[in-house]
Amino acid sequence: MFKKFLSKVFVSSCLVLSLTTIAAADQPTEQVDVYHDNQLVTSVVFKVDSNQYFVNNQTPGTRMDASPFIEQGRTFVPVRYLGNALGVTNENIAWNGSTNKAALTLGDKTAELTIGKKQIVATGQTKLTDVAPMLKTGRTYLPARYVAEALGYQVAWDATNGMVIAYPAGQEQPDISTVVDFVGGQLPKVPEVPEVPVQPQVPTGTIDEIVAKAMPFSGQPFSFDGWNFAEGWEESLQYDPMTREKINLKFQKVTVDELRQSNGIHIGDTSVIHDVKITDEGVYTTQSSIYHTGLGFILVEEGNIIRYNYSTNPDMQGTTETTFAAKKHIRGGTYKNPLPTPDMNKVTGVLFQYGDKLLHVDVKGGK
């Protein structure tokens, strides 16, 4: 356990807080004690459009110089008030203007985020996020749910009352009825936002170590039966693009969870696929490569329909990287008769091809 004292301070930055109640299985389990004015903190509440935050269900609350608000289905909350409420002192909230990076430190835990990047570095481990930090009216806004989790806390969203609730890990969600009564009658209309799944960590170590830990490719002869390929796809897959010689494809199918749990799977001697994530905006892939650039991919739609591909190979020689392919760059059809932008809700997986190897990653259960 660790204890931190909170202070009431002037604030210049802000945190974005996701409008979801985090499932218990995804929460930190070690109990964390936090103190405010020598009193054990059981809850910190932020109310949309209110310039006060509330500690331990006590009213009136602590005044702020900026009020939480909703934008694009997310609640934005002043950063230093929330940081202090979580036990982060002012000295441990840092902003680097040259790199546009914010960092919060609580005991042995850290959270680092950079403007424009959809990721958080939590105590040295990089995880993907569904939003990027941003600058607005001279303030820095960060995804607070990820920050709170990185620092060992739980966060809930009370959609009925338009309130963000933060409380120490390992404790039951607290009673906030006094706060609800205090601010009663001014409830915003808040859109429900589905929970974003926990993101896997980007592998660490040297590139040789990362590639060595991955599972080998174990494919079987591929059959085109049961697949619905657009015109020209079958021939394209069966011939080496360089030599135009016919190849006998080897096929392996894995779920995204199996991929994450196995440290990735080799596709080629020096390339590894670690993770795939599908969003409404496009596809994230995490790959490692010793000598070559990364791999593009082919979308698999419902019914095993094949008609879209992303042919750009990420320039990641000798690195492990997570790259993003926006759906507008995932092409289908022909130059003269292109298909419309793919509907990502119909995507069930992706195919990676390297020579005669075809790896199918099923992401239907892991979006």
PDB file of all heavy atoms in Angstrom, residues 13-17 46 64 67-69 75-82 140-142 144 164:
ATOM      1  N   SER A  13      -4.313  22.115 -16.578  1.00  0.00           N
ATOM      2  CA  SER A  13      -4.469  21.053 -17.555  1.00  0.00           C
ATOM      3  C   SER A  13      -5.699  20.228 -17.236  1.00  0.00           C
ATOM      4  O   SER A  13      -6.250  20.366 -16.166  1.00  0.00           O
ATOM      5  CB  SER A  13      -3.240  20.150 -17.576  1.00  0.00           C
ATOM      6  OG  SER A  13      -2.085  20.921 -17.769  1.00  0.00           O
ATOM      7  N   CYS A  14      -6.099  19.344 -18.176  1.00  0.00           N
ATOM      8  CA  CYS A  14      -7.297  18.540 -17.966  1.00  0.00           C
ATOM      9  C   CYS A  14      -7.119  17.114 -18.439  1.00  0.00           C
ATOM     10  O   CYS A  14      -6.264  16.837 -19.251  1.00  0.00           O
ATOM     11  CB  CYS A  14      -8.503  19.128 -18.675  1.00  0.00           C
ATOM     12  SG  CYS A  14      -9.027  20.710 -17.997  1.00  0.00           S
ATOM     13  N   LEU A  15      -7.951  16.204 -17.882  1.00  0.00           N
ATOM     14  CA  LEU A  15      -7.941  14.787 -18.226  1.00  0.00           C
ATOM     15  C   LEU A  15      -9.259  14.406 -18.875  1.00  0.00           C
ATOM     16  O   LEU A  15     -10.297  14.825 -18.424  1.00  0.00           O
ATOM     17  CB  LEU A  15      -7.795  13.932 -16.958  1.00  0.00           C
ATOM     18  CG  LEU A  15      -6.409  13.870 -16.305  1.00  0.00           C
ATOM     19  CD1 LEU A  15      -6.532  13.185 -14.960  1.00  0.00           C
ATOM     20  CD2 LEU A  15      -5.461  13.117 -17.176  1.00  0.00           C
ATOM     21  N   VAL A  16      -9.199  13.541 -19.889  1.00  0.00           N
ATOM     22  CA  VAL A  16     -10.401  12.977 -20.469  1.00  0.00           C
ATOM     23  C   VAL A  16     -10.782  11.739 -19.679  1.00  0.00           C
ATOM     24  O   VAL A  16      -9.926  10.932 -19.417  1.00  0.00           O
ATOM     25  CB  VAL A  16     -10.146  12.523 -21.921  1.00  0.00           C
ATOM     26  CG1 VAL A  16     -11.372  11.873 -22.501  1.00  0.00           C
ATOM     27  CG2 VAL A  16      -9.713  13.684 -22.760  1.00  0.00           C
ATOM     28  N   LEU A  17     -12.047  11.566 -19.334  1.00  0.00           N
ATOM     29  CA  LEU A  17     -12.462  10.376 -18.598  1.00  0.00           C
ATOM     30  C   LEU A  17     -13.513   9.631 -19.391  1.00  0.00           C
ATOM     31  O   LEU A  17     -14.511  10.169 -19.789  1.00  0.00           O
ATOM     32  CB  LEU A  17     -13.015  10.763 -17.234  1.00  0.00           C
ATOM     33  CG  LEU A  17     -13.182   9.617 -16.263  1.00  0.00           C
ATOM     34  CD1 LEU A  17     -11.983   8.695 -16.258  1.00  0.00           C
ATOM     35  CD2 LEU A  17     -13.426  10.145 -14.886  1.00  0.00           C
ATOM     36  N   PHE A  46     -16.706  13.892  -9.794  1.00  0.00           N
ATOM     37  CA  PHE A  46     -16.762  15.050 -10.677  1.00  0.00           C
ATOM     38  C   PHE A  46     -18.106  15.027 -11.392  1.00  0.00           C
ATOM     39  O   PHE A  46     -18.528  13.993 -11.905  1.00  0.00           O
ATOM     40  CB  PHE A  46     -15.633  15.020 -11.704  1.00  0.00           C
ATOM     41  CG  PHE A  46     -14.276  15.217 -11.122  1.00  0.00           C
ATOM     42  CD1 PHE A  46     -13.548  14.135 -10.656  1.00  0.00           C
ATOM     43  CD2 PHE A  46     -13.717  16.478 -11.035  1.00  0.00           C
ATOM     44  CE1 PHE A  46     -12.291  14.310 -10.108  1.00  0.00           C
ATOM     45  CE2 PHE A  46     -12.458  16.661 -10.486  1.00  0.00           C
ATOM     46  CZ  PHE A  46     -11.745  15.582 -10.018  1.00  0.00           C
ATOM     47  N   MET A  64     -13.224  24.406  -8.486  1.00  0.00           N
ATOM     48  CA  MET A  64     -12.247  24.303  -9.566  1.00  0.00           C
ATOM     49  C   MET A  64     -12.352  25.534 -10.452  1.00  0.00           C
ATOM     50  O   MET A  64     -13.373  26.223 -10.446  1.00  0.00           O
ATOM     51  CB  MET A  64     -12.507  23.040 -10.400  1.00  0.00           C
ATOM     52  CG  MET A  64     -12.494  21.750  -9.607  1.00  0.00           C
ATOM     53  SD  MET A  64     -12.799  20.294 -10.650  1.00  0.00           S
ATOM     54  CE  MET A  64     -14.550  20.503 -10.992  1.00  0.00           C
ATOM     55  N   SER A  67     -14.854  23.565 -15.406  1.00  0.00           N
ATOM     56  CA  SER A  67     -15.884  22.560 -15.151  1.00  0.00           C
ATOM     57  C   SER A  67     -15.757  21.397 -16.123  1.00  0.00           C
ATOM     58  O   SER A  67     -15.450  21.595 -17.305  1.00  0.00           O
ATOM     59  CB  SER A  67     -17.275  23.183 -15.288  1.00  0.00           C
ATOM     60  OG  SER A  67     -17.461  24.214 -14.357  1.00  0.00           O
ATOM     61  N   PRO A  68     -16.017  20.171 -15.681  1.00  0.00           N
ATOM     62  CA  PRO A  68     -16.058  19.024 -16.597  1.00  0.00           C
ATOM     63  C   PRO A  68     -17.126  19.231 -17.667  1.00  0.00           C
ATOM     64  O   PRO A  68     -18.151  19.868 -17.425  1.00  0.00           O
ATOM     65  CB  PRO A  68     -16.419  17.864 -15.663  1.00  0.00           C
ATOM     66  CG  PRO A  68     -15.980  18.307 -14.313  1.00  0.00           C
ATOM     67  CD  PRO A  68     -16.225  19.775 -14.280  1.00  0.00           C
ATOM     68  N   PHE A  69     -16.880  18.701 -18.851  1.00  0.00           N
ATOM     69  CA  PHE A  69     -17.852  18.811 -19.937  1.00  0.00           C
ATOM     70  C   PHE A  69     -17.767  17.564 -20.797  1.00  0.00           C
ATOM     71  O   PHE A  69     -16.833  16.765 -20.681  1.00  0.00           O
ATOM     72  CB  PHE A  69     -17.589  20.052 -20.795  1.00  0.00           C
ATOM     73  CG  PHE A  69     -16.253  20.052 -21.489  1.00  0.00           C
ATOM     74  CD1 PHE A  69     -16.120  19.537 -22.770  1.00  0.00           C
ATOM     75  CD2 PHE A  69     -15.128  20.551 -20.855  1.00  0.00           C
ATOM     76  CE1 PHE A  69     -14.889  19.529 -23.411  1.00  0.00           C
ATOM     77  CE2 PHE A  69     -13.894  20.552 -21.483  1.00  0.00           C
ATOM     78  CZ  PHE A  69     -13.773  20.036 -22.760  1.00  0.00           C
ATOM     79  N   THR A  75     -16.208  12.487 -21.131  1.00  0.00           N
ATOM     80  CA  THR A  75     -16.240  13.545 -20.132  1.00  0.00           C
ATOM     81  C   THR A  75     -14.821  14.038 -19.868  1.00  0.00           C
ATOM     82  O   THR A  75     -13.931  13.242 -19.580  1.00  0.00           O
ATOM     83  CB  THR A  75     -16.843  13.020 -18.811  1.00  0.00           C
ATOM     84  OG1 THR A  75     -18.168  12.591 -19.052  1.00  0.00           O
ATOM     85  CG2 THR A  75     -16.865  14.115 -17.762  1.00  0.00           C
ATOM     86  N   PHE A  76     -14.619  15.345 -19.974  1.00  0.00           N
ATOM     87  CA  PHE A  76     -13.317  15.963 -19.770  1.00  0.00           C
ATOM     88  C   PHE A  76     -13.277  16.577 -18.372  1.00  0.00           C
ATOM     89  O   PHE A  76     -14.187  17.322 -17.991  1.00  0.00           O
ATOM     90  CB  PHE A  76     -13.073  17.040 -20.824  1.00  0.00           C
ATOM     91  CG  PHE A  76     -12.862  16.490 -22.209  1.00  0.00           C
ATOM     92  CD1 PHE A  76     -13.932  16.003 -22.947  1.00  0.00           C
ATOM     93  CD2 PHE A  76     -11.604  16.460 -22.777  1.00  0.00           C
ATOM     94  CE1 PHE A  76     -13.749  15.484 -24.220  1.00  0.00           C
ATOM     95  CE2 PHE A  76     -11.408  15.942 -24.056  1.00  0.00           C
ATOM     96  CZ  PHE A  76     -12.482  15.457 -24.767  1.00  0.00           C
ATOM     97  N   VAL A  77     -12.234  16.252 -17.615  1.00  0.00           N
ATOM     98  CA  VAL A  77     -12.135  16.645 -16.203  1.00  0.00           C
ATOM     99  C   VAL A  77     -10.793  17.340 -15.958  1.00  0.00           C
ATOM    100  O   VAL A  77      -9.784  16.931 -16.527  1.00  0.00           O
ATOM    101  CB  VAL A  77     -12.242  15.399 -15.292  1.00  0.00           C
ATOM    102  CG1 VAL A  77     -12.183  15.788 -13.828  1.00  0.00           C
ATOM    103  CG2 VAL A  77     -13.520  14.645 -15.594  1.00  0.00           C
ATOM    104  N   PRO A  78     -10.753  18.400 -15.153  1.00  0.00           N
ATOM    105  CA  PRO A  78      -9.482  19.078 -14.864  1.00  0.00           C
ATOM    106  C   PRO A  78      -8.430  18.129 -14.295  1.00  0.00           C
ATOM    107  O   PRO A  78      -8.681  17.428 -13.320  1.00  0.00           O
ATOM    108  CB  PRO A  78      -9.877  20.139 -13.832  1.00  0.00           C
ATOM    109  CG  PRO A  78     -11.311  20.396 -14.107  1.00  0.00           C
ATOM    110  CD  PRO A  78     -11.891  19.070 -14.507  1.00  0.00           C
ATOM    111  N   VAL A  79      -7.244  18.152 -14.887  1.00  0.00           N
ATOM    112  CA  VAL A  79      -6.247  17.129 -14.605  1.00  0.00           C
ATOM    113  C   VAL A  79      -5.668  17.201 -13.196  1.00  0.00           C
ATOM    114  O   VAL A  79      -5.571  16.185 -12.518  1.00  0.00           O
ATOM    115  CB  VAL A  79      -5.095  17.158 -15.629  1.00  0.00           C
ATOM    116  CG1 VAL A  79      -4.356  18.476 -15.623  1.00  0.00           C
ATOM    117  CG2 VAL A  79      -4.126  16.021 -15.373  1.00  0.00           C
ATOM    118  N   ARG A  80      -5.276  18.353 -12.747  1.00  0.00           N
ATOM    119  CA  ARG A  80      -4.568  18.385 -11.476  1.00  0.00           C
ATOM    120  C   ARG A  80      -5.484  18.115 -10.294  1.00  0.00           C
ATOM    121  O   ARG A  80      -5.060  17.526  -9.311  1.00  0.00           O
ATOM    122  CB  ARG A  80      -3.833  19.718 -11.303  1.00  0.00           C
ATOM    123  CG  ARG A  80      -2.654  19.843 -12.249  1.00  0.00           C
ATOM    124  CD  ARG A  80      -1.759  21.002 -11.882  1.00  0.00           C
ATOM    125  NE  ARG A  80      -0.726  21.153 -12.879  1.00  0.00           N
ATOM    126  CZ  ARG A  80       0.444  20.513 -12.849  1.00  0.00           C
ATOM    127  NH1 ARG A  80       0.711  19.692 -11.866  1.00  0.00           N
ATOM    128  NH2 ARG A  80       1.321  20.689 -13.805  1.00  0.00           N
ATOM    129  N   TYR A  81      -6.750  18.518 -10.395  1.00  0.00           N
ATOM    130  CA  TYR A  81      -7.674  18.177  -9.327  1.00  0.00           C
ATOM    131  C   TYR A  81      -7.836  16.658  -9.244  1.00  0.00           C
ATOM    132  O   TYR A  81      -7.797  16.068  -8.169  1.00  0.00           O
ATOM    133  CB  TYR A  81      -9.032  18.843  -9.563  1.00  0.00           C
ATOM    134  CG  TYR A  81      -9.008  20.339  -9.382  1.00  0.00           C
ATOM    135  CD1 TYR A  81      -9.249  21.187 -10.451  1.00  0.00           C
ATOM    136  CD2 TYR A  81      -8.722  20.895  -8.143  1.00  0.00           C
ATOM    137  CE1 TYR A  81      -9.219  22.562 -10.299  1.00  0.00           C
ATOM    138  CE2 TYR A  81      -8.691  22.269  -7.973  1.00  0.00           C
ATOM    139  CZ  TYR A  81      -8.944  23.096  -9.055  1.00  0.00           C
ATOM    140  OH  TYR A  81      -8.908  24.458  -8.892  1.00  0.00           O
ATOM    141  N   LEU A  82      -8.022  16.011 -10.406  1.00  0.00           N
ATOM    142  CA  LEU A  82      -8.152  14.562 -10.398  1.00  0.00           C
ATOM    143  C   LEU A  82      -6.842  13.888 -10.013  1.00  0.00           C
ATOM    144  O   LEU A  82      -6.820  12.935  -9.249  1.00  0.00           O
ATOM    145  CB  LEU A  82      -8.607  14.058 -11.770  1.00  0.00           C
ATOM    146  CG  LEU A  82      -8.835  12.549 -11.883  1.00  0.00           C
ATOM    147  CD1 LEU A  82      -9.820  12.073 -10.832  1.00  0.00           C
ATOM    148  CD2 LEU A  82      -9.318  12.193 -13.270  1.00  0.00           C
ATOM    149  N   THR A 140      -4.115  20.929 -21.462  1.00  0.00           N
ATOM    150  CA  THR A 140      -3.817  19.581 -21.924  1.00  0.00           C
ATOM    151  C   THR A 140      -4.890  18.630 -21.412  1.00  0.00           C
ATOM    152  O   THR A 140      -5.205  18.623 -20.232  1.00  0.00           O
ATOM    153  CB  THR A 140      -2.450  19.111 -21.397  1.00  0.00           C
ATOM    154  OG1 THR A 140      -1.446  20.025 -21.823  1.00  0.00           O
ATOM    155  CG2 THR A 140      -2.127  17.718 -21.897  1.00  0.00           C
ATOM    156  N   TYR A 141      -5.456  17.843 -22.336  1.00  0.00           N
ATOM    157  CA  TYR A 141      -6.494  16.880 -21.971  1.00  0.00           C
ATOM    158  C   TYR A 141      -5.975  15.458 -22.207  1.00  0.00           C
ATOM    159  O   TYR A 141      -5.477  15.150 -23.284  1.00  0.00           O
ATOM    160  CB  TYR A 141      -7.752  17.107 -22.801  1.00  0.00           C
ATOM    161  CG  TYR A 141      -8.435  18.421 -22.520  1.00  0.00           C
ATOM    162  CD1 TYR A 141      -8.041  19.589 -23.179  1.00  0.00           C
ATOM    163  CD2 TYR A 141      -9.462  18.506 -21.589  1.00  0.00           C
ATOM    164  CE1 TYR A 141      -8.663  20.802 -22.919  1.00  0.00           C
ATOM    165  CE2 TYR A 141     -10.087  19.712 -21.317  1.00  0.00           C
ATOM    166  CZ  TYR A 141      -9.690  20.853 -21.981  1.00  0.00           C
ATOM    167  OH  TYR A 141     -10.295  22.049 -21.718  1.00  0.00           O
ATOM    168  N   LEU A 142      -6.123  14.610 -21.198  1.00  0.00           N
ATOM    169  CA  LEU A 142      -5.631  13.246 -21.257  1.00  0.00           C
ATOM    170  C   LEU A 142      -6.757  12.256 -20.981  1.00  0.00           C
ATOM    171  O   LEU A 142      -7.723  12.594 -20.304  1.00  0.00           O
ATOM    172  CB  LEU A 142      -4.528  13.029 -20.217  1.00  0.00           C
ATOM    173  CG  LEU A 142      -3.321  13.966 -20.237  1.00  0.00           C
ATOM    174  CD1 LEU A 142      -2.414  13.633 -19.065  1.00  0.00           C
ATOM    175  CD2 LEU A 142      -2.579  13.864 -21.548  1.00  0.00           C
ATOM    176  N   ALA A 144      -8.399  10.001 -18.880  1.00  0.00           N
ATOM    177  CA  ALA A 144      -8.226   9.786 -17.445  1.00  0.00           C
ATOM    178  C   ALA A 144      -8.475   8.360 -17.006  1.00  0.00           C
ATOM    179  O   ALA A 144      -7.858   7.904 -16.051  1.00  0.00           O
ATOM    180  CB  ALA A 144      -9.132  10.735 -16.667  1.00  0.00           C
ATOM    181  N   VAL A 164     -18.598  11.332 -12.765  1.00  0.00           N
ATOM    182  CA  VAL A 164     -17.425  10.474 -12.796  1.00  0.00           C
ATOM    183  C   VAL A 164     -17.047  10.154 -11.355  1.00  0.00           C
ATOM    184  O   VAL A 164     -16.961  11.048 -10.519  1.00  0.00           O
ATOM    185  CB  VAL A 164     -16.256  11.185 -13.507  1.00  0.00           C
ATOM    186  CG1 VAL A 164     -14.961  10.406 -13.317  1.00  0.00           C
ATOM    187  CG2 VAL A 164     -16.566  11.354 -14.983  1.00  0.00           C
TER     188      VAL A 164
END
